[in-house]
Amino acid sequence: MIQKNKWFRIFTNKQGQGTIEALALSVTVIAAVTALGAGIYFSVVHVGMNYMLHEYLICQKTQGATDCKKDFYKKSAPFLVAAKVLTLESSVVFRKQRARLVVAMPMKRTLTFKKELEIY
């Protein structure tokens, strides 16, 4: 009979309940903030690289291919905190300037951007 009361008291003890609930809540909040931060980062990289690729095409069309690639890498560095550029290719087909960019993102993801520019 004594053993039964001992186990009953262990499971009904309310001391430490607030600590357990706070720990569970903090883990949930940290996971939500991390997921939100990752979503924002992926969005900023997508928009930023899209814009930088467009600027790269304009630079190539107007100034030639002299320093455009160096400028692209230098200006895209703030967007690529946790990512890196794998390939940056450009070509001219008829009068259109084309570029293809592949960016390696965290969590083994890659983003591929393709752009065309035709200045009349």
Side-chain angles (χ1 to χ4, degrees):
M1 195 67 150
I2 295 173
Q3 289 291 355
K4 187 176 182 183
N5 286 339
K6 183 179 177 184
W7 285 109
F8 183 72
R9 273 189 271 140
I10 290 173
F11 289 119
T12 59
N13 191 359
K14 297 292 183 189
Q15 293 178 349
Q17 186 69 25
T19 304
I20 293 171
E21 289 174 1
L23 182 63
L25 181 65
S26 64
V27 168
T28 306
V29 168
I30 289 172
V33 168
T34 302
L36 182 64
I40 289 171
Y41 178 70
F42 277 94
S43 299
V44 166
V45 168
H46 190 274
V47 170
M49 289 293 98
N50 199 7
Y51 172 74
M52 292 304 302
L53 190 59
H54 182 74
E55 291 294 315
Y56 173 73
L57 286 174
I58 290 173
C59 177
Q60 276 197 328
K61 194 70 170 179
T62 58
Q63 298 175 6
T66 54
D67 293 327
C68 294
K69 207 169 209 176
K70 286 183 211 174
D71 287 342
F72 175 81
Y73 283 114
K74 185 170 63 172
K75 291 179 182 177
S76 66
F79 294 108
L80 301 175
V81 176
K84 68 177 186 174
V85 175
L86 293 179
T87 59
L88 175 61
E89 304 165 347
S90 63
S91 62
V92 178
V93 178
F94 298 110
R95 290 180 11 179
K96 292 182 181 179
Q97 189 78 22
R98 291 183 179 175
R100 182 176 177 268
L101 172 69
V102 178
V103 178
M105 296 293 290
M107 297 184 282
K108 296 182 181 180
R109 293 182 153 270
T110 58
L111 293 176
T112 304
F113 301 93
K114 295 178 184 177
K115 276 240 182 249
E116 285 186 357
L117 179 71
E118 182 176 7
I119 297 179
Y120 297 100

